[in-house]
Amino acid sequence: MTARRLISSGSTFEEQIGYSRAVVDGDWIHVSGTTGFDYQSMTISEEIVEQVEQCMKNIEAALREAGSCFADVVRVRYMLPDPADFEPCWPVLRRCFGDVRPAATMLVCGLSDPRMRIEIEVTAHRSATA
């Protein structure tokens, strides 16, 4: 039996709230909702495309630490306060997921900080590309 492994990004939010950036359970990797914060500097851009770029960098780092990559992603959820912000993100999302084509959902909802314009959650299965 494979032990559950927790992955941290170093974000202060993880300690304050009590969650992990990602949880590895066997071949499954569950990446928490990830925003456009640069967790090293704890800063966030005002621009939606820059935020989604940073989201994807943060997600990619968690997947890599879990021994995975975008090609293993089977599910993605996009959460945005403003639905008009979604289309400008498409080129970045297509670059990361265009060949993978995971199941996807886009939700319009409030986020915990008004500076956040997108939050992305993914589930990956390491044997998906085997």
Coordinates of all heavy atoms in Angstrom, one line a residue, residues 47-104:
E47 N -3.2 41.3 -14.0 CA -3.6 40.9 -15.3 C -4.1 39.4 -15.3 O -3.3 38.5 -14.8 CB -2.5 41.1 -16.3 CG -2.0 42.5 -16.4 CD -3.1 43.4 -17.0 OE1 -3.9 42.9 -17.9 OE2 -3.3 44.5 -16.5
I48 N -5.2 39.1 -15.9 CA -5.7 37.7 -15.9 C -4.8 36.7 -16.6 O -4.6 35.6 -16.1 CB -7.2 37.7 -16.5 CG1 -7.7 36.2 -16.4 CG2 -7.2 38.1 -17.9 CD1 -7.9 35.7 -15.0
V49 N -4.2 37.1 -17.7 CA -3.3 36.2 -18.5 C -2.1 35.9 -17.6 O -1.6 34.8 -17.6 CB -3.0 36.7 -19.9 CG1 -2.0 35.8 -20.6 CG2 -4.3 36.8 -20.7
E50 N -1.5 36.9 -17.0 CA -0.4 36.7 -16.1 C -0.8 35.8 -14.9 O 0.0 35.0 -14.5 CB 0.2 38.0 -15.6 CG 0.9 38.8 -16.7 CD 1.4 40.1 -16.3 OE1 1.5 40.4 -15.1 OE2 1.7 41.0 -17.2
Q51 N -2.0 36.0 -14.4 CA -2.4 35.1 -13.3 C -2.5 33.7 -13.8 O -2.1 32.8 -13.0 CB -3.7 35.6 -12.7 CG -3.6 36.8 -11.8 CD -4.8 37.1 -11.0 OE1 -5.6 36.1 -10.7 NE2 -5.0 38.3 -10.6
V52 N -3.1 33.4 -14.9 CA -3.3 32.0 -15.4 C -1.9 31.4 -15.7 O -1.7 30.2 -15.4 CB -4.3 31.9 -16.5 CG1 -3.7 32.3 -17.9 CG2 -4.8 30.5 -16.6
E53 N -1.0 32.2 -16.2 CA 0.4 31.7 -16.4 C 1.0 31.3 -15.1 O 1.6 30.2 -15.0 CB 1.3 32.8 -17.1 CG 1.0 33.1 -18.5 CD 1.6 32.1 -19.5 OE1 2.2 31.1 -19.1 OE2 1.5 32.4 -20.7
Q54 N 0.8 32.1 -14.1 CA 1.4 31.7 -12.8 C 0.7 30.5 -12.2 O 1.3 29.7 -11.6 CB 1.3 32.9 -11.8 CG 2.1 32.7 -10.5 CD 3.5 32.5 -10.7 OE1 4.2 33.2 -11.3 NE2 4.0 31.4 -10.1
C55 N -0.6 30.5 -12.3 CA -1.4 29.3 -11.9 C -0.8 28.0 -12.5 O -0.5 27.0 -11.8 CB -2.8 29.3 -12.3 SG -3.9 30.4 -11.5
M56 N -0.5 28.0 -13.8 CA 0.0 26.9 -14.5 C 1.4 26.5 -14.0 O 1.8 25.4 -13.9 CB -0.1 27.0 -16.0 CG -1.5 27.2 -16.5 SD -2.8 26.1 -15.8 CE -2.3 24.6 -16.6
K57 N 2.2 27.5 -13.7 CA 3.6 27.3 -13.2 C 3.5 26.6 -11.8 O 4.2 25.7 -11.5 CB 4.3 28.6 -13.0 CG 4.8 29.2 -14.3 CD 5.5 30.5 -14.1 CE 5.8 31.2 -15.4 NZ 6.4 32.6 -15.2
N58 N 2.5 27.1 -11.0 CA 2.4 26.5 -9.6 C 1.9 25.1 -9.7 O 2.3 24.2 -9.0 CB 1.4 27.4 -8.8 CG 1.9 28.8 -8.6 OD1 3.1 29.1 -8.6 ND2 0.9 29.7 -8.3
I59 N 0.9 24.9 -10.6 CA 0.4 23.5 -10.8 C 1.4 22.6 -11.3 O 1.6 21.4 -10.9 CB -0.9 23.5 -11.7 CG1 -2.0 24.2 -10.9 CG2 -1.3 22.1 -12.1 CD1 -3.2 24.6 -11.8
E60 N 2.2 23.0 -12.3 CA 3.2 22.2 -12.9 C 4.3 21.8 -11.9 O 4.8 20.7 -11.9 CB 3.9 23.0 -14.1 CG 4.9 22.1 -14.8 CD 5.5 22.9 -16.0 OE1 5.6 24.1 -16.0 OE2 5.7 22.2 -17.0
A61 N 4.7 22.8 -11.0 CA 5.6 22.5 -9.9 C 5.1 21.4 -9.0 O 5.9 20.5 -8.6 CB 6.0 23.8 -9.2
A62 N 3.8 21.5 -8.6 CA 3.3 20.4 -7.8 C 3.2 19.1 -8.5 O 3.6 18.1 -7.9 CB 1.9 20.9 -7.3
L63 N 2.8 19.1 -9.7 CA 2.8 17.8 -10.5 C 4.2 17.2 -10.6 O 4.4 16.0 -10.4 CB 2.2 18.1 -11.9 CG 0.7 18.3 -11.9 CD1 0.3 18.8 -13.3 CD2 -0.1 17.1 -11.4
R64 N 5.1 18.1 -10.9 CA 6.5 17.6 -11.1 C 7.0 17.0 -9.8 O 7.6 15.9 -9.8 CB 7.4 18.7 -11.5 CG 8.8 18.3 -11.9 CD 9.7 19.4 -12.4 NE 8.9 20.4 -12.9 CZ 8.8 21.7 -12.6 NH1 9.4 22.2 -12.1 NH2 8.1 22.6 -13.0
E65 N 6.8 17.6 -8.6 CA 7.2 17.1 -7.3 C 6.5 15.7 -7.0 O 7.0 14.9 -6.4 CB 6.9 18.1 -6.2 CG 7.5 17.6 -4.9 CD 7.4 18.7 -3.8 OE1 7.3 19.9 -4.1 OE2 7.5 18.3 -2.6
A66 N 5.3 15.5 -7.6 CA 4.6 14.3 -7.4 C 5.0 13.2 -8.4 O 4.5 12.1 -8.5 CB 3.1 14.6 -7.6
G67 N 6.0 13.6 -9.3 CA 6.4 12.6 -10.3 C 5.4 12.6 -11.5 O 5.3 11.5 -12.2
S68 N 4.8 13.7 -11.8 CA 3.8 13.7 -12.8 C 4.0 15.0 -13.7 O 5.0 15.7 -13.6 CB 2.4 13.8 -12.1 OG 1.4 13.7 -13.1
C69 N 3.1 15.2 -14.6 CA 3.1 16.3 -15.5 C 1.7 16.6 -16.1 O 0.8 15.9 -15.8 CB 4.1 16.1 -16.7 SG 3.6 14.7 -17.7
F70 N 1.6 17.7 -16.9 CA 0.3 18.0 -17.5 C -0.3 16.9 -18.3 O -1.5 16.7 -18.3 CB 0.4 19.3 -18.4 CG 0.6 20.6 -17.6 CD1 1.6 21.5 -18.1 CD2 -0.1 20.9 -16.5 CE1 1.8 22.7 -17.4 CE2 0.0 22.1 -15.8 CZ 1.0 23.0 -16.3
A71 N 0.6 16.1 -18.9 CA 0.0 15.0 -19.7 C -0.8 14.0 -18.9 O -1.6 13.2 -19.5 CB 1.2 14.3 -20.5
D72 N -0.6 13.9 -17.6 CA -1.3 13.0 -16.7 C -2.6 13.6 -16.2 O -3.4 12.9 -15.5 CB -0.4 12.6 -15.5 CG 0.8 11.8 -16.0 OD1 0.7 11.0 -17.0 OD2 1.8 11.9 -15.3
V73 N -2.9 14.8 -16.5 CA -4.1 15.5 -16.0 C -5.4 14.9 -16.6 O -5.5 14.8 -17.8 CB -4.1 17.0 -16.1 CG1 -5.4 17.6 -15.7 CG2 -2.9 17.6 -15.3
V74 N -6.3 14.4 -15.8 CA -7.5 13.8 -16.3 C -8.8 14.7 -16.0 O -9.8 14.5 -16.6 CB -7.8 12.4 -15.7 CG1 -6.7 11.4 -16.2 CG2 -7.9 12.4 -14.2
R75 N -8.6 15.7 -15.1 CA -9.7 16.5 -14.7 C -9.2 17.9 -14.3 O -8.2 18.0 -13.7 CB -10.4 15.9 -13.5 CG -11.6 16.7 -13.0 CD -12.8 16.4 -13.9 NE -14.0 16.9 -13.4 CZ -14.8 17.7 -14.0 NH1 -14.5 18.1 -15.2 NH2 -16.0 18.1 -13.6
V76 N -9.9 19.0 -14.8 CA -9.5 20.3 -14.5 C -10.8 21.1 -14.2 O -11.8 21.0 -14.9 CB -8.6 21.0 -15.6 CG1 -9.4 21.0 -16.9 CG2 -8.2 22.4 -15.2
R77 N -10.7 22.0 -13.2 CA -11.8 22.9 -12.9 C -11.3 24.3 -12.8 O -10.3 24.6 -12.2 CB -12.4 22.5 -11.5 CG -13.2 21.3 -11.5 CD -13.9 21.0 -10.1 NE -14.5 19.7 -10.2 CZ -13.9 18.6 -9.9 NH1 -12.7 18.5 -9.6 NH2 -14.6 17.4 -9.9
Y78 N -12.0 25.2 -13.5 CA -11.6 26.6 -13.6 C -12.7 27.4 -12.8 O -13.8 27.2 -13.1 CB -11.6 27.1 -15.0 CG -10.7 26.3 -15.9 CD1 -11.2 25.4 -16.9 CD2 -9.3 26.4 -15.9 CE1 -10.4 24.6 -17.7 CE2 -8.5 25.7 -16.7 CZ -9.0 24.8 -17.6 OH -8.2 24.1 -18.4
M79 N -12.2 28.2 -11.9 CA -13.2 29.0 -11.1 C -12.8 30.5 -11.3 O -11.6 30.9 -11.1 CB -13.1 28.6 -9.7 CG -13.6 27.2 -9.4 SD -12.9 26.4 -8.0 CE -11.3 25.8 -8.6
L80 N -13.8 31.3 -11.8 CA -13.5 32.7 -12.0 C -14.7 33.5 -11.5 O -15.8 33.2 -11.7 CB -13.4 33.0 -13.5 CG -12.3 32.3 -14.3 CD1 -12.7 31.0 -14.9 CD2 -11.7 33.2 -15.3
P81 N -14.4 34.7 -11.0 CA -15.5 35.6 -10.6 C -16.2 36.2 -11.8 O -17.4 36.5 -11.8 CB -14.8 36.7 -9.7 CG -13.5 36.1 -9.3 CD -13.1 35.1 -10.4
D82 N -15.4 36.5 -12.8 CA -15.9 37.2 -14.0 C -15.8 36.2 -15.2 O -14.7 36.0 -15.7 CB -15.2 38.4 -14.3 CG -15.7 39.3 -15.4 OD1 -16.6 38.8 -16.2 OD2 -15.2 40.4 -15.6
P83 N -16.9 35.7 -15.8 CA -16.8 34.8 -16.9 C -16.2 35.4 -18.2 O -15.6 34.7 -19.0 CB -18.3 34.5 -17.2 CG -19.1 35.5 -16.6 CD -18.3 36.0 -15.4
A84 N -16.2 36.7 -18.3 CA -15.5 37.4 -19.4 C -14.0 37.2 -19.4 O -13.3 37.4 -20.4 CB -15.8 38.9 -19.4
D85 N -13.4 36.9 -18.2 CA -12.0 36.7 -18.1 C -11.5 35.3 -18.6 O -10.4 35.1 -18.8 CB -11.6 36.7 -16.6 CG -11.4 38.2 -16.1 OD1 -11.3 39.1 -16.9 OD2 -11.3 38.3 -14.9
F86 N -12.5 34.4 -18.9 CA -12.1 33.0 -19.2 C -11.5 33.0 -20.6 O -10.4 32.4 -20.8 CB -13.3 32.1 -19.1 CG -12.9 30.6 -19.2 CD1 -11.8 30.2 -18.4 CD2 -13.6 29.7 -19.9 CE1 -11.5 28.8 -18.4 CE2 -13.3 28.4 -20.0 CZ -12.2 27.9 -19.2
E87 N -12.1 33.6 -21.6 CA -11.6 33.5 -23.0 C -10.1 34.0 -23.2 O -9.4 33.3 -23.9 CB -12.5 34.2 -24.0 CG -12.2 33.8 -25.4 CD -13.2 34.3 -26.4 OE1 -14.3 34.7 -26.0 OE2 -12.9 34.3 -27.6
P88 N -9.7 35.1 -22.5 CA -8.3 35.5 -22.7 C -7.3 34.4 -22.2 O -6.2 34.4 -22.6 CB -8.2 36.8 -21.9 CG -9.6 37.3 -21.8 CD -10.5 36.1 -21.8
C89 N -7.8 33.5 -21.3 CA -6.9 32.5 -20.8 C -6.7 31.3 -21.7 O -5.8 30.5 -21.5 CB -7.5 31.9 -19.5 SG -7.7 33.2 -18.2
W90 N -7.6 31.1 -22.7 CA -7.6 30.0 -23.5 C -6.3 29.6 -24.2 O -5.9 28.4 -24.2 CB -8.7 30.1 -24.6 CG -10.1 30.0 -24.1 CD1 -10.5 29.8 -22.8 CD2 -11.3 30.1 -24.8 NE1 -11.9 29.9 -22.7 CE2 -12.4 30.1 -23.9 CE3 -11.6 30.3 -26.2 CZ2 -13.7 30.1 -24.3 CZ3 -12.9 30.4 -26.6 CH2 -13.9 30.3 -25.7
P91 N -5.5 30.6 -24.7 CA -4.3 30.2 -25.3 C -3.3 29.5 -24.3 O -2.6 28.6 -24.7 CB -3.7 31.5 -25.9 CG -4.9 32.4 -26.1 CD -5.9 32.0 -25.0
V92 N -3.2 30.0 -23.1 CA -2.4 29.4 -22.1 C -2.9 28.0 -21.8 O -2.1 27.1 -21.7 CB -2.3 30.3 -20.8 CG1 -1.5 29.6 -19.7 CG2 -1.8 31.7 -21.1
L93 N -4.2 27.9 -21.6 CA -4.7 26.6 -21.2 C -4.6 25.6 -22.4 O -4.2 24.4 -22.1 CB -6.2 26.7 -20.8 CG -6.5 27.7 -19.7 CD1 -8.0 27.9 -19.5 CD2 -5.8 27.3 -18.4
R94 N -4.7 26.0 -23.6 CA -4.6 25.2 -24.8 C -3.1 24.7 -24.9 O -2.8 23.6 -25.2 CB -5.0 25.9 -26.0 CG -5.0 25.0 -27.3 CD -5.6 25.7 -28.5 NE -5.4 27.1 -28.6 CZ -6.3 28.1 -28.4 NH1 -7.5 27.8 -27.9 NH2 -6.0 29.3 -28.5
R95 N -2.2 25.6 -24.6 CA -0.7 25.2 -24.6 C -0.4 24.1 -23.6 O 0.3 23.2 -23.9 CB 0.1 26.4 -24.3 CG 1.6 26.2 -24.4 CD 2.5 27.4 -24.1 NE 2.5 27.6 -22.7 CZ 2.2 28.7 -22.0 NH1 1.8 29.8 -22.7 NH2 2.2 28.8 -20.7
C96 N -1.1 24.1 -22.4 CA -0.8 23.1 -21.4 C -1.6 21.9 -21.5 O -1.2 20.8 -21.2 CB -1.1 23.7 -20.0 SG 0.0 25.1 -19.6
F97 N -2.9 22.0 -22.0 CA -3.8 20.9 -22.0 C -4.4 20.5 -23.4 O -5.2 19.6 -23.5 CB -5.0 21.2 -21.1 CG -4.7 21.4 -19.7 CD1 -5.1 22.5 -19.0 CD2 -4.0 20.4 -19.0 CE1 -4.9 22.6 -17.6 CE2 -3.7 20.5 -17.6 CZ -4.1 21.6 -17.0
G98 N -3.9 21.2 -24.5 CA -4.5 21.0 -25.8 C -4.4 19.6 -26.3 O -5.3 19.1 -26.9
D99 N -3.3 18.9 -26.1 CA -3.1 17.6 -26.5 C -3.7 16.6 -25.5 O -4.0 15.4 -25.8 CB -1.7 17.2 -26.8 CG -1.1 18.0 -28.0 OD1 -1.9 18.3 -28.9 OD2 0.1 18.2 -28.0
V100 N -3.8 17.0 -24.2 CA -4.2 16.1 -23.1 C -5.8 16.0 -23.1 O -6.3 14.9 -22.9 CB -3.7 16.6 -21.8 CG1 -4.2 15.8 -20.6 CG2 -2.2 16.8 -21.8
R101 N -6.4 17.1 -23.3 CA -7.9 17.3 -23.4 C -8.6 16.6 -22.2 O -9.4 15.7 -22.3 CB -8.4 16.7 -24.7 CG -7.6 17.3 -25.8 CD -8.3 17.8 -27.0 NE -9.7 17.8 -27.0 CZ -10.4 17.8 -28.1 NH1 -9.7 17.8 -29.3 NH2 -11.7 17.9 -28.1
P102 N -8.2 17.1 -20.9 CA -8.9 16.5 -19.8 C -10.3 16.9 -19.7 O -10.7 17.9 -20.3 CB -8.1 17.1 -18.6 CG -7.5 18.4 -19.2 CD -7.3 18.1 -20.6
A103 N -11.1 16.2 -18.9 CA -12.5 16.6 -18.6 C -12.4 18.0 -17.9 O -11.5 18.2 -17.1 CB -13.2 15.6 -17.7
A104 N -13.2 18.9 -18.2 CA -13.1 20.3 -17.7 C -14.4 20.9 -17.3 O -15.5 20.6 -18.0 CB -12.4 21.2 -18.7

